[in-house]
Amino acid sequence: MALYASVGANLTHYDLDVAAAALTRRDSVTLPANVQYAWPDASRQFLYVASSDGGSGMGAPGATHHVTAFHIDPDSGALAPHGAAIALPTRPIHMATDIASDYILVAFNNPSALRVYRINADGTPGAELAQPEPLDAGIFAHQVRATPDNRQVILVTRGHDSAGGKAEEPGALKVFDFHDGMLSHEESV
């Protein structure tokens, strides 16, 4: 069993021995910037890693934001770069694939946004899919997931408490219909 942990831009692979309650450090890969989130594809052949040099929360926006793919060795769990990283517009706060791992769903908090990127047939991250209509990503998008039937995508938005005379900006669950990478019919809870 493999475990991956990050410190800054380094993502380190450990072997996990559950019976002995032991971790054995193996190797590390270096991302273009600090690791933000990682997600395996449905086949467990690839690991997609979002990275950014942006600050957390409402911090400095940074200038380097990417999704990078790694091939996972089926025997050892070792990671090997797989294709070129794709640039993102701002700091990604969360990402996941859809259930079939045909698309990468990325949540951005500042400004709040949700974007969909194609996964190419070879498992490399591909181009962003332009959505047919502007999306309401609420206030401070925080997490995104596809439903188990892959027919909807749920975006969790955190919102902001009232502070300094500024009114509360409530968070919400944003539920979108999802088909062939397209998001539509947003409902807000």
Side-chain angles (χ1 to χ4, degrees):
M1 182 180 297
L3 173 86
Y4 306 102
S6 70
V7 175
N10 294 315
L11 183 63
T12 301
H13 165 220
Y14 296 86
D15 285 338
L16 176 63
D17 182 340
V18 176
L23 290 174
T24 304
R25 183 185 175 115
R26 294 297 176 207
D27 49 8
S28 294
V29 293
T30 302
L31 280 294
N34 294 335
V35 173
Q36 301 296 305
Y37 211 85
W39 192 269
D41 82 316
S43 71
R44 304 293 195 239
Q45 293 181 60
F46 304 107
L47 183 69
Y48 299 100
V49 183
S51 62
S52 173
D53 65 351
S56 63
M58 300 299 286
T64 301
H65 321 285
H66 293 90
V67 170
T68 304
F70 293 93
H71 180 264
I72 303 170
D73 183 277
D75 298 319
S76 69
L79 300 175
H82 185 69
I86 59 168
L88 301 175
T90 61
R91 176 184 176 257
I93 192 165
H94 187 261
M95 61 171 279
T97 66
D98 69 315
I99 301 304
S101 292
D102 292 326
Y103 304 97
I104 300 170
L105 311 168
V106 184
F108 303 88
N109 64 329
N110 186 20
S112 190
L114 170 60
R115 294 177 184 252
V116 180
Y117 297 85
R118 182 176 313 283
I119 295 176
N120 298 320
D122 65 357
T124 57
E128 179 181 358
L129 288 134
Q131 297 300 312
E133 297 190 18
L135 300 177
D136 176 2
I139 305 297
F140 206 96
H142 207 258
Q143 289 181 305
V144 62
R145 287 293 310 270
T147 57
D149 64 6
N150 214 35
R151 294 174 55 190
Q152 293 181 307
V153 166
I154 301 171
L155 177 68
V156 178
T157 66
R158 195 188 74 182
H160 296 289
D161 291 334
S162 62
K166 189 175 179 183
E168 176 188 13
E169 297 174 302
L173 296 176
K174 301 288 189 172
V175 182
F176 300 88
D177 287 345
F178 183 67
H179 181 71
D180 291 335
M182 296 292 115
L183 301 164
S184 63
H185 302 104
E186 179 261 334
E187 295 288 333
S188 186
V189 179

